[in-house]
């Protein structure tokens, strides 16, 4: 099942035929999609850093040295000469995917901002009273902790 892009969501909203509740719900969907994509970019960034650490650890080793690599959920025995190029290639692919996702995220954020402007909704997420209330809850919750 193919999900519509944020631009398609914004365009399919109709010209002014949407009431404020529907517009707020649509804007929240668009913001949630941006948040999910941002989380995915962060996850890929962590994977990229792990690959960098593995490359740094394997580079000074002799190529014939035995090492172990996890493929899926199986650990296989290989040599450094076999594993290092594969890890470097994976790191490059992760970096490429991060760049593409970052570009898509910018487009989706722009679409969400345009949608918010078009329907005269608050332009910034978290500017509502609920964000301020949640901040207050974390502050008051931390005050009651004794160690």
């Amino acid at each position: 099942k193919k999900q519509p892009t944020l631009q398609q969501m914004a365009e399919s909203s109709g010209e002014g035929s949407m009431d404020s509740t529907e517009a707020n719900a649509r804007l929240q969907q668009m913001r949630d999609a941006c948040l999910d994509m941002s989380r995915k970019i962060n996850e890929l960034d962590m994977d990229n850093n792990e690959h960098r650490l593995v490359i740094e650890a394997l580079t000074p080793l002799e190529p014939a040295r035995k090492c172990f690599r996890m493929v899926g959920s199986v650990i296989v025995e290989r040599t450094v000469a076999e594993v290092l190029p594969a890890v470097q290639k994976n790191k490059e692919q992760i970096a490429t995917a991060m760049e593409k996702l970052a570009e898509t995220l910018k487009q989706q954020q722009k679409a969400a901002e345009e949608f918010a402007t078009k329907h005269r909704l608050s332009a910034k997420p978290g500017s509502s009273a609920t964000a301020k209330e949640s901040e207050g809850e974390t502050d008051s919750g931390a005050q009651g902790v004794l160690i």
Side-chain angles (χ1 to χ4, degrees):
K1 190 174 178 182
K2 192 173 181 182
Q3 297 230 345
T5 65
L6 290 180
Q7 288 178 333
Q8 290 170 340
M9 281 189 219
E11 291 168 359
S12 69
S13 64
E15 296 294 325
S17 65
M18 189 179 282
D19 69 4
S20 65
T21 306
E22 291 173 342
N24 277 326
R26 180 69 52 94
L27 182 61
Q28 190 59 44
Q29 283 179 331
M30 296 170 88
R31 288 179 177 161
D32 288 345
C34 288
L35 189 60
D36 289 342
M37 189 166 296
S38 180
R39 286 184 183 132
K40 184 62 177 175
I41 291 170
N42 287 337
E43 181 183 325
L44 287 174
D45 188 42
M46 289 189 296
D47 287 347
N48 198 26
N49 286 333
E50 287 178 15
H51 279 70
R52 180 184 52 80
L53 292 172
V54 170
I55 290 169
E56 288 174 4
L58 291 178
T59 301
L61 301 176
E62 56 190 69
R65 183 172 174 165
K66 166 172 63 170
C67 69
F68 295 90
R69 178 176 186 211
M70 184 173 267
V71 178
S73 61
V74 179
I75 297 178
V76 293
E77 182 179 332
R78 301 280 186 241
T79 64
V80 170
E82 295 172 329
V83 171
L84 188 57
V87 173
Q88 289 171 331
K89 182 180 177 187
N90 286 350
K91 184 180 180 301
E92 291 170 6
Q93 290 174 342
I94 290 170
T96 303
M98 284 174 53
E99 290 172 6
K100 289 179 182 177
L101 282 175
E103 194 63 35
T104 303
L105 177 62
K106 286 180 187 176
Q107 292 171 356
Q108 289 185 351
Q109 286 173 332
K110 183 179 178 185
E113 289 173 16
E114 289 172 357
F115 182 84
T117 303
K118 176 181 171 186
H119 292 282
R120 298 180 183 168
L121 303 172
S122 69
K124 297 291 180 189
S127 62
S128 66
T130 56
K132 293 176 184 174
E133 289 172 5
S134 66
E135 286 177 12
E137 288 172 11
T138 56
D139 290 343
S140 64
Q143 291 175 355
V145 177
L146 296 175
I147 298 176

